[in-house]
Structures are given as structure tokens and as C-alpha cells.
Amino acid sequence: MLRRILLSTLFLATAMSSSAWADPTPDAVANMINNAGEQIGTVELFSGPAGTLLRLDVRDLAPGPKAIHLHAVGTCDDHDHGFTDSGGHINPDGNEHGLLNPDGPGAGDLPNFRVDEFGYAWAEFFTSLASLDGSVGAHILDEDGAAIVIHENPDDHMSQPIGGAGDRIACGVIEASD
């Protein structure tokens, strides 16, 4: 009898893990490229009732803390020129930069993340300052789109205009999922 209960419990746990706990399909994805134009990972975006969840999965970056921001223009075509065509951070209200700034933050400001000693990073961020459809905060997928940009250094969350984050080392155009 005990064996039957254990087997039933194992079957139920397996069934739940394969269906009830499955990852949701992202509402948008950014394929991240480096300055050489090579794909290094993705950022998946999920719409929520109070904002947007971003799931980062990247490789082949220098170890250490990095800044990440939502940029106002959906292009990464100028990878060999530092992704400057993606413009500044999403910031329709004209707030100062920085999550710790009393006159901020801008809608594109996000927390830092860390790349491990093997060049890999996985992180999740949540922002209530922007949404894909503009229903919460700034509109990410507006007429000129948006990009996610990773910088070489961490953001101090105060300095203008980018928190001392340094050069742009990776970029991904945010595109709605099919």
C-alpha cells in the first residue's frame, strides 16, 4: 500500500512539474548581440498587471557587475559603433536618471546584474515604470520600438545621464512574440 501511495505521489509530482509549473510564453523577446554583431543571449519580457517582468539569459560577457537599461529606439544596427542609434533611456516624463535619485527614476532604469567568472548571467527584473502596451508606465513597443542595452560597468543609480555605466556592450531590439 505504501509503495502504491509513493508511486502515485511521484506520478502526480511529475505531472505537475511538466504542466502546471511550465514557464509562460514571453510576450516579447530581445535577441542580444555584442559589438561584433554576434548573438549572446536573450531577454524575454512578460506583461503583468502592474508592469513588466524581464528575464535575462546571456553569455560571453566580461565578468562583474553590469548596468542594463531600456532604450527609447528599437535598433541595434550600429553594433560596430556602440549601439548609439538606440538613443537614450525610455523616459517620457523627463525624470532624472537613477533608481536612487530623488528626481528619478526614468522609465528605462533597471537594477544592475552580475556576470559570473565564466561570462554567463541569468537574472530577472521587474519594472512598474514601463509596459509593452503602455497600459502601465511608459510604452515600450511604441512607433519606434525600444531596445535593451547592457553597459560595461554597473549603474550607480544617481549620476547623469547613465549612472557611470560606461560603454554599451550588448543590445537587443524588443520584438513582440508571435
Side-chain angles (χ1 to χ4, degrees), residues 67-73 83-99 105-110 112 129-130 138-140 142 144-151 155-168:
I68 185 169
H69 302 117
L70 296 169
H71 282 246
V73 181
F83 305 113
T84 57
D85 288 348
S86 65
H89 301 170
I90 294 175
N91 191 10
D93 296 331
N95 295 338
E96 292 287 312
H97 170 77
L99 296 173
D109 296 344
L110 295 168
N112 295 319
L129 302 174
H139 190 179
I140 295 172
D142 60 6
D144 59 357
I148 298 174
V149 174
I150 297 173
H151 294 263
D155 186 334
D156 66 18
H157 301 294
M158 286 291 286
S159 302
Q160 302 306 304
I162 62 167
D167 290 339
R168 301 171 185 197

